[in-house]
Amino acid sequence: MIDESQLRRAAALLGRVTNLVAFTGAGVSAESGVPTFRGAEGVWKEFRAEEVATPEAFGRDPKLVWEFYNHRRNRLAEVQPNPAHRVLADFERRFPRFTLVTQNIDGLHALAGSRNVLELHGNLGRVRCTGCGRVFDKRGERLGELPACEACGALLRPDVVWFGELLPQDVWSASLAAVEECEAILVVGTSAVVYPAAGLVEVASRRGATIVVVNLEPTAASELADVSLHGKAGEVLPALWEELKLIATP
Ligand code: BJW
Ligand code: ZN
């Protein structure tokens, strides 16, 4: 059950801003059938992050790491954006300035029609050469056990950010700039424990921006929130969108 009074409060706060950042995590794609990382059925329950999502793991056993990512790539071919992704695409059309910063690597925001998307942790559809550094879009393509670069023959890796790696600096700078200018940040479906991404909420908070959190449960971002909306993103965001429509566009 969505708390109607909190929903109206969130809509009233967001209704008056002209510059909004949405910051999303795995929970936004959960209803599309993409598993989250830290829940009871999360990816890290089945696999240890240190064994599949670090550069050291890839150096030690690239076959195992590719098996993990190929499995997730193949599943990605079957999933579609859900109402949460679609409402966030609608938000982009409503707010004069809107930036979607996502930790997700599934590409579902773009598929739902969002354009101004900053992918902090890369994209599972892309691969990057460990030799020449070229990046290739291989979304929807089946890859071998140890895929090789078509330009130089070196081993390819998923173009995602592993633990201990730096985030793509251009994407990080653009995300920080967006948060430093926004009037409000909508934090959806993330546990907000992975840094530096989670630090964006703290930057917004220090600047006095309005913070609205949408999640099944309280998270690390909740204590900074002006309003917390508990429920499924695919239900809360459409309800919030309907509330916002009742408020005149700034
Ligand atoms: C719903 C819902 C529904 C469900 N509706 N809600 C100590 C030791 C080692 C490292 C560190 C350390 N302290 C800090 C670090 C650094 C580390 C870090 O932050 N670790 C913490 C976990 C402790 N960070 C890094 O290493 C980063 N790099 C870095 O810091 O570089 C500098 C540096 C260099 C050298 C040395 C040290 C530092 C890089 C982080 C990269 C993270 N990569 C991953 C994997 C990407 C590839 C892949 O997918 O395989 O990114 S980890 C994983 O977590 C993924 C996610 O993007 C990220 C965030 O997770 P997210 O999205 O929040 O998902 P969950 O599952 O946590 O939460 C889901 C939420 O949704 C929950 O709250 C649910 O309730 C909710 N939910 N269904 C609404 N329907
Ligand atoms: Zn190459």
Side-chain angles (χ1 to χ4, degrees), residues 58-241:
F58 190 64
R60 224 170 23 236
D61 194 346
K63 235 183 204 172
L64 175 76
V65 173
W66 262 117
E67 194 180 315
F68 172 70
Y69 283 99
N70 273 337
H71 175 69
R72 289 170 64 202
R73 283 174 52 85
N74 296 341
R75 284 202 50 192
L76 209 55
E78 296 152 15
V79 302
Q80 292 299 325
N82 67 56
H85 298 105
R86 286 195 285 274
V87 164
L88 290 169
D90 290 335
F91 274 22
E92 186 164 0
R93 288 183 278 274
R94 185 200 185 276
F95 289 90
R97 293 182 66 194
F98 178 84
T99 311
L100 205 165
V101 181
T102 188
Q103 299 165 88
N104 297 348
I105 62 171
D106 56 33
L108 290 179
H109 284 302
L111 215 56
S114 286
R115 286 160 180 267
N116 194 11
V117 184
L118 297 170
E119 296 179 315
L120 287 173
H121 293 161
N123 189 301
L124 189 52
R126 292 193 307 257
V127 294
R128 189 167 85 233
C129 179
T130 58
C132 69
R134 282 190 179 83
V135 172
F136 303 95
D137 188 356
K138 298 281 179 190
R139 193 177 177 94
E141 286 180 44
R142 286 212 168 236
L143 300 174
E145 280 189 329
L146 285 173
C149 174
E150 55 209 57
C152 78
L155 181 62
L156 293 171
R157 57 164 284 175
D159 192 21
V160 300
V161 181
W162 286 323
F163 284 109
E165 291 190 312
L166 294 178
L167 274 54
Q169 288 305 294
D170 50 341
V171 179
W172 174 249
S173 306
S175 303
L176 206 51
V179 169
E180 275 166 354
E181 289 175 0
C182 75
E183 294 159 81
I185 182 166
L186 179 62
V187 182
V188 189
T190 175
S191 56
V193 295
V194 174
Y195 283 79
L200 292 172
V201 186
E202 290 156 23
V203 172
S205 173
R206 276 200 294 275
R207 288 190 44 251
T210 296
I211 300 179
V212 175
V213 171
V214 176
N215 202 297
L216 289 180
E217 57 189 33
T219 68
S222 303
E223 53 201 67
L224 304 176
D226 294 283
V227 186
S228 286
L229 300 172
H230 294 299
K232 291 184 176 181
E235 293 170 7
V236 174
L237 288 183
L240 181 60
W241 178 233

Side-chain angles (χ1 to χ4, degrees), residues 12-37:
L13 287 171
L14 296 181
R16 50 171 106 102
V17 312
T18 56
N19 186 344
L20 178 68
V21 167
F23 174 57
T24 68
V28 90
S29 295
E31 290 156 76
S32 293
V34 182
T36 61
F37 293 92

